[in-house]
Amino acid sequence: MLGALLDAGGRLAGPGEFTRRAFLAGRIDLAQAEAVLAAVNSRTEAGLEAALAQIKGAFSGKLSGLERDLLDLLAGIEAGIEFPDELENPAEPRGRWQAELRRLAERAGRLRRASAEGRIMAEGIRVVIAGRPNVGKSSLLNALLEQERAIVTDVPGTTRDEISELITLAGLPVRLTDTAGIRPPRDRIEKAGVRRSRARVKSADLLLLVLDRSRPLEAADRRLVAGTKVGKTLLVLNKIDRPDRLGALPGRAAGLERVEVSARTGAGLEVLKERVAGLIREGRVSPDSETPVFLGVYQERALRHACEALSEAAAALTDGIPLDFVLASVRRAARHLSEISGRRVDKEVLDQIFSRFCIGK
Ligand SMILES: Nc1nc2c(ncn2[C@@H]2O[C@H](COP(=O)(O)OP(=O)(O)O)[C@@H](O)[C@H]2O)c(=O)[nH]1
Ligand SMILES: [Mg+2]
């Protein structure tokens, strides 16, 4: 039957074809298309509800409202440049424009936080376990997952590929990722692992930096400690079932919160879990709560650029920089906003976005 249809000139729908057609026909925008994907992949009732609201256009409405107000402001500033004589007091509109830009930047910022919430809902809060080889990262992951998933050996450099699991920690969705130990790699495979580890560490919402408390600190430990961000990192001193040989921690570590554990005996793990949940709750590692919005990587980037351009424009107005420069930033913000809805988007980007859909969706 299918074969006959294909012979008759029909063809199979490619990934995302139905959604793509709806988009091309102008019935939905890119944010709604992205929500279709989020709805299909949603794992919770709340996630599905948020995705459906986005499909119905809740986010698109806010976005187009923002775009409209930004374009109004743009027209106002353009008019101010074109017909400066018509301005009674040239200083007056600058103040008004600036206040308006601040409000627009604030609205864009809220959309960004909403998208961060959406990412957390879809992917979990990114908690990454890092440290030099053999400190017990994989053992810690296993202990936290309460199941054996990672390969644990006493040969440094065993975990060459990362392992990532979604768990619920104190009611919060957490994606726990074990990384390959970070050290100068001995071969190509390890090199790829180390590179990926570094990228993971950078994008983590919370970093668990593991040190082996039963051995003196090594140069690799010091480098890792030096590169961490306070408030985003928890120091985990592992192997407390053995004598303490760690010695003094470098000055940078003094400002970091620390928890002592033994992945082997399980000592301290409850405290660790509580601290992780606590840090997430305190909002130090998670964004403010906003209605979750699901955006693709491309759109998230566009939103970030729009926010940056808006702040730049507001700052330029304060500094009394010529209006032409302010205008350039405002225009850039408008362009980035239009990328989110997809009114202005390259075919290649569309191909990439819709290829993530399943066949026939
Ligand atoms: N005594 C003791 N040994 C541990 C502990 N955690 C891990 N180990 C051992 O340390 C070695 C390295 O552990 P592994 O989890 O593979 O370290 P990774 O390279 O950081 O992933 C293994 O032999 C583990 O059994 C601990 O809390 N106490
Ligand atoms: Mg490992």
Side-chain angles (χ1 to χ4, degrees):
M1 165 72 180
L2 189 58
L5 280 173
L6 289 174
D7 287 343
R11 63 188 181 87
L12 290 170
E17 185 154 337
F18 293 123
T19 318
R20 184 178 191 143
R21 270 193 222 153
F23 169 73
L24 290 177
R27 282 190 287 120
I28 59 171
D29 68 13
L30 259 198
Q32 289 168 297
E34 199 64 43
V36 171
L37 194 62
V40 173
N41 294 338
S42 67
R43 277 183 295 254
T44 61
E45 196 76 27
L48 182 60
E49 214 171 280
L52 290 177
Q54 189 173 334
I55 293 174
K56 285 186 197 142
F59 172 78
S60 304
K62 283 184 195 163
L63 186 68
S64 55
L66 184 61
E67 264 188 281
R68 200 179 44 238
D69 293 348
L70 186 62
L71 292 177
D72 278 351
L73 178 68
L74 189 67
I77 301 178
E78 273 169 348
I81 293 181
E82 199 106 13
F83 314 106
D85 300 342
E86 294 186 12
L87 299 174
E88 283 156 27
N89 171 4
E92 189 269 327
R94 268 185 108 97
R96 193 156 37 81
W97 291 335
Q98 196 192 2
E100 176 63 5
L101 269 175
R102 289 254 161 75
R103 277 193 295 273
L104 292 171
E106 168 60 30
R107 277 160 74 186
R110 274 205 297 278
L111 296 184
R112 248 189 108 184
R113 290 195 292 276
S115 110
E117 280 295 316
R119 179 178 61 71
I120 282 174
M121 187 169 253
E123 298 168 22
I125 298 150
R126 290 190 279 229
V127 176
V128 172
I129 305 177
R132 69 164 170 78
N134 231 28
V135 291
K137 297 179 297 297
S138 301
S139 304
L140 183 67
L141 178 90
N142 286 338
L144 287 171
L145 296 180
E146 288 164 333
Q147 67 185 86
E148 294 285 317
R149 275 280 278 106
I151 309 159
V152 178
T153 74
D154 50 11
V155 182
T158 304
T159 311
R160 289 172 171 219
D161 217 344
E162 58 183 35
I163 289 180
S164 173
E165 286 277 337
L166 197 61
I167 58 171
T168 308
L169 219 120
L172 301 165
V174 167
R175 175 159 295 282
L176 195 60
T177 303
D178 176 24
T179 58
I182 297 177
R183 67 168 184 186
R186 313 269 149 104
D187 58 44
R188 259 194 17 238
I189 302 172
E190 197 184 339
K191 193 169 173 182
V194 170
R195 198 178 322 116
R196 197 157 41 232
S197 301
R198 290 228 162 84
R200 284 278 173 258
V201 166
K202 263 179 112 177
S203 68
D205 292 312
L206 176 65
L207 191 67
L208 303 184
L209 181 54
V210 186
L211 300 176
D212 181 346
R213 206 200 62 165
S214 70
R215 293 165 55 96
L217 221 53
E218 293 184 10
D221 296 314
R222 287 176 201 283
R223 268 199 300 278
L224 282 167
V225 171
T228 56
K229 287 197 197 123
V230 178
K232 246 185 88 171
T233 308
L234 197 55
L235 268 190
V236 181
L237 307 187
N238 189 33
K239 309 195 188 180
I240 58 166
D241 53 300
R242 292 167 133 195
D244 184 355
R245 301 233 160 77
L246 188 63
L249 285 172
R252 188 83 176 77
L256 298 175
E257 249 188 272
R258 73 189 61 169
V259 179
E260 305 205 327
V261 302
S262 166
R264 178 164 290 175
T265 67
L269 287 183
E270 280 310 313
V271 177
L272 174 62
K273 285 187 198 173
E274 264 165 40
R275 280 319 296 145
V276 170
L279 278 173
I280 292 167
R281 284 243 168 72
E282 283 159 30
R284 285 167 63 187
V285 295
S286 113
D288 310 354
S289 3
E290 290 277 343
T291 320
V293 160
F294 307 97
L295 295 184
V297 179
Y298 167 82
Q299 294 169 305
E300 235 176 74
R301 195 169 49 219
L303 185 51
R304 175 162 49 84
H305 288 155
C307 286
E308 286 164 3
L310 284 173
S311 313
E312 252 174 55
L317 268 176
T318 334
D319 296 346
I321 287 171
L323 282 179
D324 284 338
F325 289 96
V326 178
L327 258 188
S329 297
V330 175
R331 284 207 189 99
R332 197 148 42 80
R335 194 181 65 237
H336 289 305
L337 282 183
S338 71
E339 286 168 352
I340 303 170
S341 58
R343 275 195 297 98
R344 241 195 261 185
V345 71
D346 291 347
K347 182 178 173 300
E348 291 80 67
V349 173
L350 284 185
D351 286 343
Q352 191 242 322
I353 289 171
F354 287 107
S355 68
R356 287 149 54 232
F357 284 66
C358 322
I359 304 282
K361 285 280 167 8

